Amino acid sequence: MPKRTKMVAVSLLVGLFVYTLLGFLLLPGVALHLINQQLEKRLTVPAQLEQLEFNPFTLELEAGKLVVGAKEQPDLAWRRLYANLEWKSLWSGAVHLAELKLERAHVQILFDEQGTLNLAQLIDPADSQEQAQEESAASEPFPVRIEHLALIQNSLYFEDQRPTDQVTFAYDAINLELRNLSTVTQDDANMTLAASGPDGAKLDWQGTLSISPLSSTGQLSISDAQLGTFWPYVREQLPLVLSQGNMGFSSDYHLDMSAALELTLENTQIDLRELAIQDLDQQPLLQLEQITVSDTQVDLAARQVRIGKLASSAVQAWIERSEEGELNWLRVFATSEQPEDPASEPWRVLLNQAQLSQNQLHLTDRQPDEDVTLLLSPLELEIAEFDSLGNTPFSLILSTGVGERGQLTAEGQAQISPLSADLKVTTQSLDLRLAQAYLAPFVRMELRSGRLDSTLDVAIDAGEPLALGISGAAKVDQLHILDTVGKRDLLKWEALQLDGIAFQDNALAIERAALLQPYGRFIINQDLSTNIDELIIAQPAPTSAEAEDVKEVEREPLAIRIGSVLIEDGSANFADFSLRPPFGTAIAQLNGQIGTLDNQSAQPAEVDITGNVDRYAPVTIKGSVTPFDPLNSLDITTRFRNVELTTLTPYSSKFAGYRIRKGRLNLDLHYRIEQGQLSAENKVLLEDLQLGERVDSPDAVDLPVRLAVALLKDSRGNIDIELPISGDLNNPEFSVMPIIWQTLGNLIQRAVQAPFKMLASLVSGNSDADLSQIGFQPGSAELDEQAKQALDTLATALRDRPSLLLEVEGMSAPAKDGPLIGEQRLEREFQQRKLRQLQERGEEVPEDASQLIVAEEDKREMLENIYQTRLKQEIPAAWQALPAEERESKLRQAITSQWGQNTAILRRLAQQRNDSIKAYLVDNANLEASRVYLLDVGTDAEAEGEQVFTKLELGSE
């Protein structure tokens, strides 16, 4: 081999050896040292690259195990970085990488409470500023081409301490693959990204990526993303608590940042599942099983969202109004309102089709005194062609259950701006009791039941003022309203059918109103007020500001016209307490009609109604009335015939305290009003009225009702009263009471205040005679001549009035009767002892011990023994030393005092007085024994003068 050739070969071998030595050993070692040196110099945390290998022949570089930060929890780390540099990079002016792989990389992103990012703190501030200046000086990115870029089994840990509830999550198994990535203009790279996140969430990303300018097109999908992971960011803006929820997202996208940020999404689909949101008080706001938004396009630059289809199932929402009138949802979003840039266009949302099915809406109103709750379920809603700008109509179909049995449907078109709607609304069995809480502050009524059915066409047209048109028919079934003042029915009916409803321009017209089995209660009070007046709750006077607001919205009163009112099988309760005695009755089988009712016309409506009281007593109501101004014109005649008074037992029991056993009523009422001037004729005929047993009632009048009835009856047993009434109804001083008392008041008042004196005047003409008590001498049950004369007068009056009864209450008075009773009892004791003595000696004795005369000497001998045996006590020692006469006086006084206060002896005397009175009335005055009742006697009478009086009371059958 030539020497030169050998030299060249040796040189090549030496060069190759040196190159190999430098490439494999020296260069990686020096580079590893310099890299670690720079890491230590430029980073603020410990950092080390453990291994660096380079193949100078294939230009393959492998950096193994980089750790930046603490070894246990590094901020940045990788297991292996592999790069394959192509040779053409040496002369092409660009870096060409055949392959770039990053394996087992880990990044930790941490924000502390002040918002400081851990990665931003890794680099020394001076170096970061110098690097930023260098990057800004370079107008174009350095040309780099990577044929294959792969991130293999990488991971990410994220922690943000800025929200109140810390956000923490981790993504592992992050795999990214890019082909033909280039920083050269218009070069596109094919990209594939896959990652698994917390709680099974997965991220898939496929598409193209261009670096200069930055643009990308592809498909992005996220599945099983748990909303709770990121919810603290929402919580910072909205006071909402998330219990559970996950989301799925998929979309085609196109991103272009060559001139400005342009992002469009196509074929977008969002799935929300198992979502549950509460407010800060742990009260539910929203729960859903699934909501799907599909076939959606989003244009960020145009600020437009076009939703192809929105579908939901099993969505539950809770809407609540607080006691202060604030809605819970408005309270939530009021805190998150952000001022909009007036220069920016509003976002536009176009909804092609929405189908919400099997949903529930829970409504609660806490502003009334009692909470009002309502459930709308199942709620079905379909909306089509909706535009958030609101200037085009959209169609809607709504169907929902309301409460337990109600149904509501609405179908038609509506528009937001200007507001307009043309809907067909149908309701079935809507429970009207929901209105109770809103009526309670204004009327004392309880809405017990009521259901609404309707078929209505509703037209709304925004304007000044808002135009509302309603037409169709409605029916209210089983209405029942209770008067809470009297705790009794006020109004009810089986059905109310309204046909030909037309509301337009503040005018309501109804062609026909038909009432099936209506019932009403109407009461005229003593002061001519009615039970309706009692139901109205007075409202506080409005403030000046409120009054001004009312004036601003004040409109003409509603014009009302009802063509006719038909009544079928109606009933009513009517009572007039301005009469004495009060009148009340129940009317049934009401049938008839009322003519046209029009509050814009002074033409009176004809009234023609017939009915019955207790099925057999006919009643007629005929005449005319201006219903909206009855004080202007009224001419009504009402007649009742052969009304069985037993039907009034509930009223007589409550207000008179007695049931009615028998009787009939004929009543003629004729009321005429002209310009407020009342002229009325009231004729009352009570035939053979008989009261029944007494009933305890707290509302009963405190009058001797039976006595009053007995006194008012004529010889045939009837009560016939005529009560004409006249006066000015416009005069607040007008009262019918003086007129009524002209014919009835004086007689009843006399009977109430002094019935015995009234009887005396009817028999003897002497109204000063008092027959209510009979006097007895103290200690005696014998009638004197004055008592016998009074009993004769009383018996004569009772015989003429067979329905009257006499009650005798025998009385005794310890103060007056006691001393004489004691003396009489002691005298009988002397006589009984004397009788036994005579019998023991075998001497002849009288038949009656009261005929015996006991000598005073014998009485003195008996006193000590009577004291000891009857009083059952020994004679006081102090009395033994007294003189005989004084000791005898004390013994006698002690014995008579005890016997004079003995209740049994006093009751016996009172019973004897009872017997004396009844015996005289029956045996001497020829009064039936059954009409004299002996009451339980009393022992606490107060003596008047020298006599003790026994009380007499009048009663009736």
Side-chain angles (χ1 to χ4, degrees), residues 519-536:
Y519 168 83
R521 184 187 298 273
F522 186 76
I523 296 174
I524 301 175
N525 299 314
Q526 293 183 4
D527 58 358
L528 286 185
S529 65
T530 68
N531 58 331
I532 306 301
D533 300 330
E534 298 173 345
L535 303 181
I536 307 300

Side-chain angles (χ1 to χ4, degrees), residues 58 108 181 191 213 236 354 387 484 536 632 661 673 677 718-719 731 735 788 804 848 939:
T58 61
Q108 182 171 260
L181 178 64
M191 175 180 60
E236 291 297 303
D387 189 342
T484 58
I536 307 300
N632 179 50
R661 183 176 178 272
I673 300 177
Q677 300 299 315
N718 296 335
I719 299 175
N731 184 359
S735 174
K788 293 178 180 179
L804 292 178
D848 187 358
T939 60

Side-chain angles (χ1 to χ4, degrees), residues 117-315:
L117 177 64
N118 64 327
L119 298 181
Q121 301 299 312
L122 296 180
I123 303 176
D124 186 79
D127 291 338
S128 61
Q129 183 177 3
E130 179 181 348
Q131 183 180 357
Q133 291 175 352
E134 291 176 357
E135 290 177 355
S136 62
S139 57
E140 293 291 337
F142 187 79
V144 176
R145 294 181 184 273
I146 304 174
E147 294 182 9
H148 182 214
L149 171 63
L151 303 180
I152 303 172
Q153 294 296 315
N154 299 297
S155 62
L156 168 68
Y157 176 79
F158 180 87
E159 179 179 308
D160 192 349
Q161 299 179 1
R162 291 175 295 177
T164 304
D165 297 329
Q166 179 176 300
V167 178
T168 302
F169 64 87
Y171 273 91
D172 54 15
I174 300 176
N175 294 285
L176 173 65
E177 187 174 6
L178 289 172
R179 294 188 180 276
N180 301 320
L181 178 64
S182 174
T183 61
V184 180
T185 305
Q186 301 300 328
D187 280 356
D188 291 333
N190 295 322
M191 175 180 60
T192 301
L193 173 64
S196 60
D199 301 314
K202 292 184 179 180
L203 171 67
D204 292 300
W205 189 0
Q206 295 180 351
T208 62
L209 176 67
S210 175
I211 302 298
S212 182
L214 181 61
S215 64
S216 179
T217 300
Q219 299 87 35
L220 174 65
S221 67
I222 301 173
S223 61
D224 296 324
Q226 299 299 316
L227 297 179
T229 303
F230 308 96
W231 194 259
Y233 293 119
V234 178
R235 177 75 175 270
E236 291 297 303
Q237 302 298 322
L238 296 173
L240 297 174
V241 177
L242 177 72
S243 298
Q244 62 180 2
N246 60 75
M247 182 191 73
F249 173 84
S250 65
S251 179
D252 299 334
Y253 73 91
H254 176 72
L255 173 67
D256 188 354
M257 297 184 63
S258 57
L261 176 59
E262 295 184 5
L263 174 64
T264 58
L265 304 179
E266 298 283 343
N267 299 320
T268 302
Q269 178 166 323
I270 301 174
D271 291 312
L272 290 177
R273 295 180 296 275
E274 305 298 333
L275 182 67
I277 298 175
Q278 302 171 336
D279 62 15
L280 297 182
D281 296 327
Q282 302 300 314
Q283 297 300 315
L285 289 175
L286 181 67
Q287 291 182 6
L288 61 88
E289 189 175 288
Q290 183 173 8
I291 288 184
T292 300
V293 180
S294 59
D295 193 19
T296 298
Q297 296 88 40
V298 180
D299 191 333
L300 182 64
R303 299 171 69 87
Q304 178 173 295
V305 178
R306 185 182 295 275
I307 300 175
K309 184 176 182 180
L310 185 151
S312 75
S313 62
V315 176

